[in-house]
Amino acid sequence: MPEARSVAQALAASPAAALIRRAADSQRIARALAAAGASLPFDPLAPGACELRERTLWLTAKSPALAAKLRQCLPQLLASLDRQGFELTEIRVRLQPTQKSYRMHGSREFADDDLTRSREPPTGPEPNAKAALGLAEKLALTFPHSPVGEAARRLAGRLRKRLA
């Protein structure tokens, strides 16, 4: 009869042992960062904020401004982690924003104030459509036998239909 093993022993002997060790090391470093600096511009204990890959620590920032602040702190963070016994060769910052800075048309990602507005496309011509038509016609005449001229002719035709 096989002897009973704990979950930790079974996981240590599994093919996922390296992944589990990497996750545990990442959590240790995140706890050390959280304990060391109250002046950090992010929460290292947030899921996915710290990830250790070999001897490189990856910090995930939620915005470009936060990434810039983190990059300024990197020498101090590396020195602090080195003093605590972590042997890292570098710390890298990556950007993973939580929200898009734009809304895609046709998607359901609308703000509350968008619900009061009409979602129908505008019925009249756009204010710059006439200027765009003039520019497209001028490009078509300037480059008569080129791909640019052909594209400009097609664009001019579409703009004429829109303005009609």
Side-chain angles (χ1 to χ4, degrees), residues 19-142:
L19 182 62
I20 293 168
R21 187 172 39 257
R22 190 173 97 188
D25 290 344
S26 297
Q27 288 177 349
R28 279 191 12 249
I29 289 176
R31 284 192 299 269
L33 285 174
S39 64
L40 287 177
F42 81 119
D43 180 15
L45 297 174
C50 295
E51 182 183 351
L52 183 65
R53 292 187 181 176
E54 295 177 11
R55 293 175 55 143
T56 301
L57 178 63
W58 287 85
L59 301 177
T60 304
K62 302 277 185 201
S63 70
L66 182 61
K69 288 179 184 178
L70 277 173
R71 286 186 185 101
Q72 291 175 350
C73 300
L74 290 183
Q76 294 88 355
L77 291 176
L78 193 55
S80 173
L81 290 171
D82 188 43
R83 283 191 303 272
Q84 295 180 34
F86 296 103
E87 296 179 11
L88 300 174
T89 55
E90 68 178 326
I91 300 176
R92 302 197 68 182
V93 177
R94 62 182 165 201
L95 181 63
Q96 186 174 14
T98 56
Q99 294 181 347
K100 295 183 207 82
S101 59
Y102 60 91
R103 286 191 305 263
M104 296 179 61
H105 293 287
S107 71
R108 295 183 180 252
E109 299 176 14
F110 288 98
D112 290 338
D113 61 336
D114 288 334
L115 296 175
T116 59
R117 295 185 202 145
S118 171
R119 293 190 184 172
E120 296 298 318
T123 55
E126 291 85 15
N128 295 327
K130 289 182 181 179
L133 175 60
L135 179 61
E137 289 172 340
K138 185 176 180 181
L139 277 173
L141 293 173
T142 306

Side-chain angles (χ1 to χ4, degrees), residues 5-19:
R5 296 188 297 175
S6 70
V7 173
Q9 290 171 334
L11 288 174
S14 75
L19 182 62

